[in-house]
Amino acid sequence: MEENSAPKRRQLSLSAVARFLLLGVVAYTLIAAAFSFVFLKRIETQANFTRDVQIPLILTQTRNAVKIERLSSLVRSIFLAKDRRLERQIQLQIQALAQGFSFDHHGFLVERSQKVADEAKTIAKLRQQARDKESSTQPSPSANSIDARVVDELDRLATQAYERAIHDLDAMGTQLSGDAAVVADNIASEIQNSASYMQVGWLLILVVPGLFAVTILIAAKHHLAAPIGAAIKNLERIGRNEPVLTLERLPLISELAMIDAAIVAYGQVSDDLHRTNSILQGLAEKDPLTGLANRRTFESYLAAVLTRPAISSPGVAIMMIDIDHFKSVNDTFGHLAGDRSLVAVANVLTSVPWQANHLAARYGGEEFVVVLEECSLEQAIERAEWLRRSVQELNIETGTGQPFLRLTASVGVAVSNSVSDQPSDIIARADRALYTAKKSGRNNVQVASLDIGISKAG
């Protein structure tokens, strides 16, 4: 046996697809939950760091800024003070504030604050020396001039110490501002990073289900809806007795592939049954030798015609035809010649210009029957005569080398003009008319009147 070398498409079962989707949903849920946990934990850690470290640092910087502002005010006060006691109080306050910076462990501020305290001490000392010099009395004007110069020099030195202290205070303020900017920038950076992580993370959390849903819908359209739609169309085609269509590609889902194969097989069986039924119906309705309708079909047709609402004239005509001396044909030339004779007469019946709805049938043996709808008695007689002459003109081969066989036929005609007529009544009248035609010498047409009498025609 030759093996099919075409690669088979791998198929999946519905249970496998369901498990795959379930695993995908569970995996996505776990990943989303893990990401959310890690992200929220990161935010919690950053919040704790901000609360425990950065906010206290900001508060410390705020306090230091207040201290620096207070130091600046005290340095101005000690520079402008004229009283030794006031200078001493201010100096003590400056020293206390300078020592307060050491608690913040900020080396630059501690160093500069100590320098400011030293400068304040220097200012107070220089001011005291100047006052002492001014209070001392000199005996000569030249000595007073020298003392004035000394006082001016002391004032100059005090001013320089004041300027150095102010410069240090400015440096401390600048350093403190820079530190505050760094802290603020760090907080802003952390917030920005957290916002970026949140934006990317939640964007993925929201987009992934959407993409997953779109993928599922596209896959469902191609691998679920398309095979199911094709199966429905094939079922509709089977209902219309049309051949089924096979899919270009097998469905990915094995169950759908099985359904499609079953429907295709069912459609092929249905098509075979339909053809078989058509053949059987033809055999049941037609005579196998002549191809005309058989007796059962004739009786059903006549019953249907007689039950239709119809006007009284024209009515329904029945012709009963019998081949004359047909037994002698079989006895003399054989049954094959007899069959040829029956077929030839059947061909005449199908070639007659009936000019009406009609049915020609083989009634049995050498007898034939014709039903004519909407046909008057005169029209029925005319067509019966045409039929009789056509049969008389036949030349049938005998198959024995002898001359052609000639046939004649006797015809009985009956007409029904009432819906109350039964099929058996009109058939009986036509049969009696045929009997009369045979009794009258054959090869003629006889008509049964409505009162069952017989009238001769032809």
Side-chain angles (χ1 to χ4, degrees):
M1 180 182 293
E2 183 180 357
E3 296 183 355
N4 187 6
S5 60
K8 293 183 178 180
R9 187 180 183 184
R10 186 174 182 181
Q11 295 179 328
L12 300 174
S13 64
L14 280 176
S15 59
V17 173
R19 287 195 298 270
F20 172 76
L21 293 178
L22 180 60
L23 289 175
V25 172
V26 171
Y28 169 77
T29 303
L30 293 177
I31 292 173
F35 174 82
S36 300
F37 176 79
V38 172
F39 177 72
L40 294 176
K41 193 67 177 177
R42 175 187 176 92
I43 293 178
E44 181 183 2
T45 302
Q46 291 175 353
N48 292 334
F49 178 75
T50 301
R51 182 192 62 193
D52 297 338
V53 177
Q54 293 178 322
I55 291 179
L57 183 59
I58 292 175
L59 294 177
T60 300
Q61 290 173 343
T62 302
R63 289 194 299 270
N64 288 338
V66 173
K67 291 179 183 178
I68 292 172
E69 185 65 27
R70 178 65 176 162
L71 275 177
S72 179
S73 176
L74 291 174
V75 168
R76 292 188 183 90
S77 297
I78 200 173
F79 179 71
L80 298 175
K82 302 298 183 182
D83 182 67
R84 172 62 182 170
R85 181 179 297 177
L86 179 61
E87 289 176 352
R88 182 63 179 170
Q89 293 176 353
I90 294 174
Q91 184 180 352
L92 292 175
Q93 293 179 16
I94 292 175
Q95 188 66 33
L97 284 175
Q99 292 176 353
F101 285 99
S102 61
F103 295 106
D104 299 332
H105 306 289
H106 197 300
F108 180 81
L109 296 181
V110 172
E111 177 188 356
R112 290 304 176 99
S113 63
Q114 190 60 47
K115 289 179 66 177
V116 170
D118 292 341
E119 296 294 344
K121 184 177 180 181
T122 300
I123 293 172
K125 180 179 179 181
L126 293 173
R127 290 296 188 191
Q128 183 60 36
Q129 290 177 359
R131 283 192 295 271
D132 292 343
K133 202 66 170 173
E134 288 177 351
S135 61
S136 64
T137 9
Q138 299 293 335
S140 62
S142 60
N144 289 334
S145 175
I146 293 172
D147 291 339
R149 287 197 297 273
V150 171
V151 170
D152 290 338
E153 180 64 20
L154 292 174
D155 288 338
R156 187 181 66 79
L157 294 175
T159 300
Q160 290 179 351
Y162 170 74
E163 291 176 350
R164 288 194 299 272
I166 293 300
H167 177 73
D168 290 335
L169 288 171
D170 290 340
M172 292 172 65
T174 302
Q175 180 66 33
L176 193 62
S177 298
D179 292 342
V182 171
V183 173
D185 184 68
N186 290 336
I187 295 176
S189 298
E190 293 294 337
I191 295 174
Q192 184 177 4
N193 291 336
S194 298
S196 299
Y197 282 122
M198 181 180 292
Q199 181 179 7
V200 174
W202 285 105
L203 183 63
L204 290 176
I205 291 175
L206 294 176
V207 168
V208 168
L211 294 177
F212 182 75
V214 171
T215 303
I216 292 300
L217 290 176
I218 294 175
K221 176 183 177 182
H222 290 285
H223 301 294
L224 288 177
I228 292 174
I232 293 174
K233 289 182 180 179
N234 274 336
L235 290 175
E236 292 175 349
R237 294 179 67 87
I238 291 173
R240 296 192 300 265
N241 294 323
E242 298 178 358
V244 296
L245 301 176
T246 57
L247 296 177
E248 294 181 359
R249 296 188 304 173
L250 286 177
L252 182 63
I253 307 300
S254 58
E255 288 84 351
L256 293 180
M258 293 173 60
I259 292 174
D260 176 71
I263 291 176
V264 171
Y266 172 70
Q268 293 173 350
V269 172
S270 176
D271 188 50
D272 293 340
L273 289 176
H274 179 68
R275 287 196 298 268
T276 302
N277 289 335
S278 298
I279 294 173
L280 293 176
Q281 184 177 4
L283 294 176
E285 294 178 352
K286 292 184 179 181
D287 176 62
L289 177 63
T290 62
L292 298 178
N294 57 21
R295 180 170 178 169
R296 182 171 59 183
T297 304
F298 154 71
E299 291 174 347
S300 300
Y301 182 83
L302 178 61
V305 170
L306 292 177
T307 56
R308 294 176 190 168
I311 58 175
S312 59
S313 181
V316 177
I318 296 293
M319 296 182 188
M320 298 289 292
I321 303 105
D322 184 85
I323 301 176
D324 297 330
H325 305 291
F326 185 74
K327 184 177 182 303
S328 63
V329 173
N330 284 331
D331 293 341
T332 304
F333 302 102
H335 290 282
L336 185 58
D339 290 345
R340 289 197 186 99
S341 299
L342 294 174
V343 173
V345 173
N347 291 336
V348 171
L349 292 178
T350 57
S351 63
V352 172
W354 301 111
Q355 298 179 352
N357 293 331
H358 69 284
L359 174 72
R362 183 181 178 187
Y363 195 69
E366 70 273 18
E367 288 187 346
F368 297 87
V369 64
V370 177
V371 182
L372 298 175
E373 299 183 46
E374 299 180 0
C375 182
S376 64
L377 179 60
E378 291 77 10
Q379 292 172 333
I381 294 173
E382 179 183 355
R383 285 161 178 71
E385 281 294 336
W386 194 96
L387 173 63
R388 184 189 63 80
R389 290 193 299 270
S390 297
V391 173
Q392 188 176 1
E393 294 172 359
L394 289 173
N395 292 317
I396 302 171
E397 294 183 0
T398 61
T400 60
Q402 297 183 15
F404 289 105
L405 173 65
R406 305 297 293 270
L407 299 175
T408 60
S410 300
V411 182
V413 178
V415 177
S416 172
N417 295 101
S418 174
V419 294
S420 62
D421 282 343
Q422 296 298 317
S424 58
D425 297 335
I426 188 172
I427 292 174
R429 292 203 303 270
D431 189 59
R432 282 193 288 271
L434 174 62
Y435 177 77
T436 302
K438 284 185 166 292
K439 192 175 180 180
S440 301
R442 296 182 174 84
N443 193 23
N444 64 88
V445 176
Q446 295 293 327
V447 179
S449 62
L450 295 178
D451 57 358
I452 321 271
I454 302 298
S455 60
K456 184 176 180 180

